Amino acid sequence: MTSAAVGAPAAGRRPVSRIVVVVYGAAALLTGAGLISTLWHGLADPRIALAFGVLIAVGELARWGALPGEREPAPIAAAGALAYALLGENAGQPVGHGVLQTVTVVLIAAFAGAVPHVARGRGPALDHIVRRVLTVGFAAFCFQPLYDSAELRERLGVGPGYALLLLLLLGLTALCDAVLAALVLWARTRHPFGPLLRDELRALLHIGSAVCATGAVIALGVAVAGLWALPVFCVPLLLTQLSMRRYAAVRTTYRQTIASLARATEIAGYTPQGHARRVAELSLAVGRELGLSGPELTVLEYAALMHDIGQLSLVDPVPDGATALLPVAEQRRIALLGGAVVRQTGVPAAVAVVVERQADPYREQPMSARIVRAVNAYDDLAGECATASGPLGALERLRLGTAHDYQPEVVESLARVLSRGRPGPRSHGVTHG
């Protein structure tokens, strides 16, 4: 059975947001100005530009094995780009590249490193490139005019004051990137901006902090020791990247195992094909609409995938697997059976709690259980064999049950998600926060 859109035309491309147009336009203008300026004035300090360009290109090549949705698939390239933007000296000698050359070198090197990925159809997303251009330009614009001031340079030198300046500017740059990422995602999905920004800021505590710290260390190291510092100080970030990739691969395998386990009810004929997947996708979209954080969305997804697993304990299958049409007492019995099964699988206890309490009155449920209950009921009621007259009738039945069974805010969030024609994109497929 299918969960069709409600109150919307056939799903199509969402019109490009004005915010996205402005962001892309700013990146295009900065890129164009950088290319024209570099071609006109020539390349300042070509040896330094080549060294950092190679580092950035190698960092882009090292995105092999990156998973869809990974927040920073090329951390070495990002750290190298930030270090070049914040580079004031090379082995004690002032450098002369400006803001526009910084953007040009970073962009050309990133494209050079991305060529093999593009050839395989797995090149970097355009949003990622635009953010890289704008954040690197922001860092260079903040740092280089300050450091070009002779008085400030003499006062700071390469001591603690210089290091603190780099860290402060890197913090501002990371904040700028987080706001930019959340803004573009909000413009594309219309999910609440606050939770999107919160997830981006939370990610800064992990791979983001490693990128910023490595960028500062590279800039400081090159200022004292010269370009030989580049390969030395990239090793810690490379090890961090490998560890994050392994962790992401484990998380992906873990989710695939849960998804396979959730399909047991479909294989056994207890629930319709695709029911668990549809409920999980819609639940994630509703969770984002309501502002759930990354870890909360993970629990919600796992619980939605496994919400019907209690039916495996039944002697007689529920007709069409539609538990929403059963008496409340029977719904609670199946939910408790499902929670008991989930607790034996080794998933977090929070997932079992959501599964166990999905049939309780909504005022007694955690938010994730409220979402799973409403979305499961919608998919059951909107099915071809259900008594409701399709998606519109299913939503109407849910609205009639908001006095006791379903939280009104959850039902209305579900209606908004359906009105857009499809659940939002999976932006938390690989969690770094």
Side-chain angles (χ1 to χ4, degrees), residues 409-424:
E409 292 81 2
V410 172
V411 175
E412 294 311 313
S413 294
L414 173 61
R416 288 194 296 272
V417 169
L418 293 169
S419 71
R420 293 197 289 264
R422 61 184 183 277

Side-chain angles (χ1 to χ4, degrees), residues 137-234:
F138 175 82
F141 181 79
C142 290
F143 170 77
Q144 293 185 15
L146 282 175
Y147 198 78
D148 286 343
S149 170
E151 180 181 351
L152 183 62
R153 186 166 62 245
E154 291 174 2
R155 182 175 301 175
L156 292 179
V158 289
Y162 182 50
L164 288 175
L165 175 64
L166 291 184
L167 291 175
L168 174 61
L169 293 179
L170 281 170
L172 290 175
T173 302
L175 179 61
C176 172
D177 184 60
V179 171
L180 195 61
L183 190 64
V184 171
L185 190 57
W186 171 80
R188 292 194 182 282
T189 65
R190 294 301 176 183
H191 296 147
F193 178 76
L196 292 175
L197 179 59
R198 182 181 60 198
D199 284 345
E200 295 295 334
L201 293 175
R202 184 181 287 113
L204 293 178
L205 301 177
H206 301 276
I207 191 67
S209 61
V211 168
C212 290
T214 305
V217 168
I218 290 175
L220 289 169
V222 172
V224 176
L227 295 176
W228 287 108
L230 290 180
V232 173
F233 291 114
C234 281

Side-chain angles (χ1 to χ4, degrees), residues 92-130:
Q93 299 298 318
V95 297
H97 66 277
V99 176
L100 296 180
Q101 178 176 310
T102 299
V103 172
T104 303
V105 170
V106 168
L107 190 62
I108 292 175
F111 274 123
V115 167
H117 303 295
V118 173
R120 296 178 67 245
R122 299 185 60 180
L126 192 56
D127 284 356
H128 177 78
I129 296 174
V130 167

